[in-house]
Amino acid sequence: MNIVLIILKWLFHILVFPGFLFTLCAALLLAGIDRKLVARMQNRVGPPLLQPAYDLLKLFGKEIIIPRQANKKAFLSAPAVGLASLLVTSLLLPFSASFVAVSGVADVIVVLYLLTIPAVAIIVGAASSASPFAGVGLSREMVAVMAYELPLTIVLVTVCRKAGLMMDESGMTFSLATVMQYQAEHGAMITKLSMIPAALAMLFIIPCEVGAHPFDIAEAETEICEGTLAEYSGLPLAFYELAHYVKMFILTSLFCVLFLGGFTTGVVVVDLILRLIFCVVVTFLCITVPHAVCARFKVEQVFKFYWTWVLGLALVSLLLVWLGL
Amino acid sequence: MLRKLIDESAAKSPWIYHINAGSCNGCDIELVSVLTPRYDAERCGFKLTGSPRHADIVVVSGPITVQTRDRVVRTLSQVPEPKVVVALGSCPRSGNVFKGSYSIDGPLDKYCHVDVSVAGCTPKPEAIIAGLAKAAEILKEKRKEMH
Ligand code: SF4
């Protein structure tokens, strides 16, 4: 009897909340709000809030074209793998210090790896599609991955150290639940002076990791015909679009966990609404505003920007935390 | 139920791919103006894509020159079903001022079925939006015929 209950609970976590269904709905909503806000900032009416959902449904009904020279298996499975790894990540993110679907001793490291898989999936899919545009796109995607991965790792280490100093005798924790616990007791990370550069760095990392507009060098539709996605149509393309939206939600949610963790009440529904509101605010700051005001960067500009400014910000934070500030 | 939702969304999210088949660039600029804040076609879900594989509506402008003819045919065959072809401006339907030129091999309907034709040189943005809206309707019909 007990086992059945536990299995049911797991299924609920994986399929409904906070896994599959909830993440998809939240991601679609977030993407819709983002598009609407961009339009409003450019003084347009903008698409309806449900536009991302319409786009996806339409793509479900389109023909799937597989290029003759493509590696069929890799071409079709790459989008699914990318999406799946993102959905698994959603299980690991805690909503409050007490509520988390899956929790481990070192889930920060797992999240770091899981967040890399979608980018790898895009690269594999592009490489197997036998298109020169996808080839250019995948090399650019690799540059982007290299650009943001190092600052992201340092930001995560900084947060873990900060929380670990207080919560763990070894001085280091790799558990997101502990990070939340720390913030519940000592106030959100963003209120600590030494963590503000890291939070800024994270705000810059999110749009590049998502592939949002000024940093979408790999999918530049005006230069290289959508780059990595050039050969995709129909259902696989829908998976990529969906992965894009889900990534937006996961990363903003991760930002909330790392830096805005203290503002929780313990009631799951209230926490949930708070989290969604924070996600919208973070999306507005780091995805919508750059999208509305910036033109696309060149490849080497992206790389330089991340390895100087963003990395510098992250390192400053790391140094301050290690000095015990 | 899902099938009906998909049919409905076909008309609500038409992605445009634009082929320039030797146009004078007048029509091309007008098509882009349709997406600017003043006319804002994105509120009906229109979006300009960079790859024919993502397209629902293919907009062809220009009188189909000998040089572009094969590329137009090839690009049109890359677009997944259901698709709608829109001829933009007077050029693709008749050759317009270029008619009779040795380098022209039009009109467009020699090579594919043209679903919507927006006349004018250049068509007004309002006319283009009306044409695209019509194309979105046809897209929905075509999607319904697919099953
Ligand atoms: S219809 Fe007129 S504006 Fe358009 S491409 Fe032809 S000549 Fe140029």
Side-chain angles (χ1 to χ4, degrees), chain A residues 38-72:
Chain A
V38 170
R40 291 308 303 154
M41 286 183 75
Q42 294 175 338
N43 208 2
R44 294 188 281 130
V45 179
L49 210 56
L50 286 178
Q51 188 62 42
Y54 294 145
D55 287 352
L56 283 182
L57 282 169
K58 176 211 68 179
L59 284 172
F60 286 164
K62 293 280 281 185
E63 185 190 357
I64 301 172
I65 298 179
I66 301 169
R68 202 181 300 140
Q69 281 151 3
N71 181 335
K72 200 171 158 195

Side-chain angles (χ1 to χ4, degrees), chain B residues 41-88:
Chain B
E42 204 196 349
R43 73 198 134 130
C44 317
F46 291 108
K47 190 178 122 180
L48 213 52
T49 63
S51 162
R53 295 250 199 265
H54 303 187
D56 304 295
I57 299 179
V58 190
V59 177
V60 184
S61 61
I64 323 292
T65 56
V66 178
Q67 287 281 328
T68 56
R69 180 185 52 200
D70 298 341
R71 277 87 178 172
V72 168
V73 172
R74 247 179 86 189
T75 313
L76 282 173
S77 65
Q78 309 259 339
V79 181
E81 294 290 336
K83 67 172 174 227
V84 173
V85 179
V86 175
L88 184 61

Side-chain angles (χ1 to χ4, degrees), chain A residues 19 54 73 86 100 170 175 182 207 218 250 258 266 303 311 313:
Chain A
Y54 294 145
K73 270 188 209 139
L86 280 172
V100 46
S170 64
S175 151
Y182 168 81
I250 298 277
L258 294 179
F303 197 72
L311 188 62
L313 281 172

Side-chain angles (χ1 to χ4, degrees), chain A residues 1-322:
Chain A
M1 187 59 210
N2 246 337
I3 292 193
V4 175
L5 264 182
I6 290 172
I7 291 177
L8 275 182
K9 194 174 145 222
W10 272 104
L11 279 181
F12 179 76
H13 275 330
I14 292 171
L15 292 178
V16 184
F17 176 85
F20 198 67
L21 201 66
F22 167 72
T23 312
L24 291 194
C25 294
L28 286 177
L29 195 66
L30 202 62
I33 292 175
D34 170 49
R35 276 182 80 170
K36 192 84 186 169
L37 284 176
V38 170
R40 291 308 303 154
M41 286 183 75
Q42 294 175 338
N43 208 2
R44 294 188 281 130
V45 179
L49 210 56
L50 286 178
Q51 188 62 42
Y54 294 145
D55 287 352
L56 283 182
L57 282 169
K58 176 211 68 179
L59 284 172
F60 286 164
K62 293 280 281 185
E63 185 190 357
I64 301 172
I65 298 179
I66 301 169
R68 202 181 300 140
Q69 281 151 3
N71 181 335
K72 200 171 158 195
K73 270 188 209 139
F75 184 76
L76 289 180
S77 56
V81 170
L83 184 59
S85 76
L86 280 172
L87 290 174
V88 173
T89 320
S90 71
L91 292 175
L92 291 163
L93 298 179
F95 279 92
S96 62
S98 52
F99 183 81
V100 46
V102 184
S103 139
V105 218
D107 35 17
V108 171
I109 297 173
V110 181
V111 165
L112 192 61
Y113 274 99
L114 282 174
L115 282 181
T116 322
I117 294 180
V120 175
I122 287 178
I123 290 172
V124 169
S128 59
S129 66
S131 154
F133 294 114
V136 179
L138 88 89
S139 81
R140 288 178 172 205
E141 176 77 29
M142 277 189 212
V143 172
V145 170
M146 280 199 285
Y148 67 70
E149 205 65 30
L150 184 62
L152 177 63
T153 313
I154 292 180
V155 166
L156 288 176
V157 169
T158 313
V159 172
C160 293
R161 172 74 180 175
K162 182 82 184 168
L165 275 178
M166 283 289 189
M167 309 296 291
D168 202 299
E169 60 267 23
S170 64
M172 195 80 184
T173 173
F174 280 111
S175 151
L176 286 173
T178 315
V179 172
M180 285 296 264
Q181 191 68 40
Y182 168 81
Q183 297 183 79
E185 287 168 18
H186 300 88
M189 284 281 183
I190 194 110
T191 57
K192 308 278 180 295
L193 218 55
S194 58
M195 294 309 288
I196 289 175
L200 275 177
M202 188 70 189
L203 279 182
F204 281 120
I205 291 165
I206 293 173
C208 191
E209 170 110 36
V210 172
H213 177 61
F215 304 106
D216 60 344
I217 48 171
E219 289 161 29
E221 75 274 6
T222 40
E223 314 160 27
I224 50 170
C225 299
E226 312 269 350
T228 44
L229 306 182
E231 295 292 336
Y232 279 97
S233 64
L235 199 60
L237 181 61
F239 272 43
Y240 271 133
E241 290 285 324
L242 201 53
H244 178 90
Y245 303 146
V246 171
K247 217 172 181 181
M248 212 152 100
F249 173 64
I250 298 277
L251 278 163
T252 46
S253 197
L254 182 64
F255 182 89
C256 299
V257 171
L258 294 179
F259 295 103
L260 302 170
F263 311 107
T264 50
T265 53
V267 187
V268 174
V269 184
V270 181
D271 283 349
L272 199 69
I273 295 169
L274 265 178
R275 168 63 56 84
L276 285 178
I277 293 172
F278 280 142
C279 279
V280 171
V281 173
V282 175
T283 312
F284 177 75
L285 283 179
C286 68
I287 295 181
T288 312
V289 174
H291 184 168
V293 298
C294 286
R296 184 180 300 117
F297 287 121
K298 283 190 278 182
V299 185
E300 68 271 16
Q301 283 173 330
V302 169
F303 197 72
K304 222 166 140 190
F305 177 70
Y306 278 90
W307 276 50
T308 50
W309 292 107
V310 181
L311 188 62
L313 281 172
L315 281 176
V316 166
S317 241
L318 187 67
L319 215 69
L320 288 177
V321 168
W322 231 266

